[in-house]
Amino acid sequence: RRSRVSDPAAIAIDGLDHVVLTVGSVERSVAFYTRILGMRVERQPGRPTALHFGSQKFNIHQAGQEFEPKALRPTAGGGDFCLLTALPSAEVAARLAAFGVAVELGPVAREGACGPMMSVYFRDPDDNLVEVATPGERP
């Protein structure tokens, strides 16, 4: 289900390329996101460390050493986002437990951008709220 642009003069957005996460420790975040969530790290001189997943990525900025331009008030732990997986939500919760990551909430039914999904919530090392959701899964 796609919504139409409300104003024909508006810029129609088709997707999301990347999000910037400001973190307390780039290395700690890279370890978490690669080990726990299977993201692929990319490092290039003079560029932010990138964590790739699907066709998107997180650019990781070290707090106090952000790349320009940057958010007005970049803050470690200010993130709250939802990532998608094909794994059943119970399996997501079980794998998090096996890694010693505490589940804050879930599995719980939610309504995502594309419809119903089951979500599991937890925190990354900077206390960003991470939601991993399984689209189409129902309670």
Side-chain angles (χ1 to χ4, degrees):
R1 51 181 155 151
R2 282 199 131 130
S3 62
R4 294 178 183 233
V5 175
S6 59
D7 182 338
I11 299 168
I13 301 300
D14 294 323
L16 180 68
D17 181 81
H18 71 277
V19 170
V20 173
L21 283 181
T22 302
V23 301
S25 165
V26 169
E27 293 313 314
R28 183 179 64 189
S29 294
V30 165
F32 180 86
Y33 284 97
T34 57
R35 182 170 173 255
I36 308 297
L37 297 179
M39 294 183 183
R40 182 179 55 81
V41 67
E42 178 184 24
R43 300 176 198 266
Q44 294 181 7
R47 301 183 59 108
T49 297
L51 293 167
H52 290 264
F53 54 99
S55 61
Q56 297 84 34
K57 68 177 179 171
F58 288 149
N59 283 341
I60 306 299
H61 288 194
Q62 177 72 44
Q65 300 172 21
E66 298 87 2
F67 287 80
E68 296 290 343
K70 64 180 184 244
L72 185 59
R73 288 180 279 288
T75 305
D80 178 344
F81 48 87
C82 178
L83 304 170
L84 302 175
T85 185
L87 286 176
S89 57
E91 180 69 17
V92 171
R95 290 186 187 197
L96 289 169
F99 281 115
V101 175
V103 170
E104 194 159 306
L105 178 67
V108 61
R110 292 291 188 247
E111 187 69 23
C114 294
M117 59 190 192
M118 291 295 289
S119 295
V120 177
Y121 294 83
F122 56 98
R123 302 275 173 181
D124 77 359
D126 288 294
D127 287 332
N128 291 301
L129 182 62
V130 181
E131 176 184 357
V132 172
T134 308
E137 186 180 30
R138 299 180 189 271

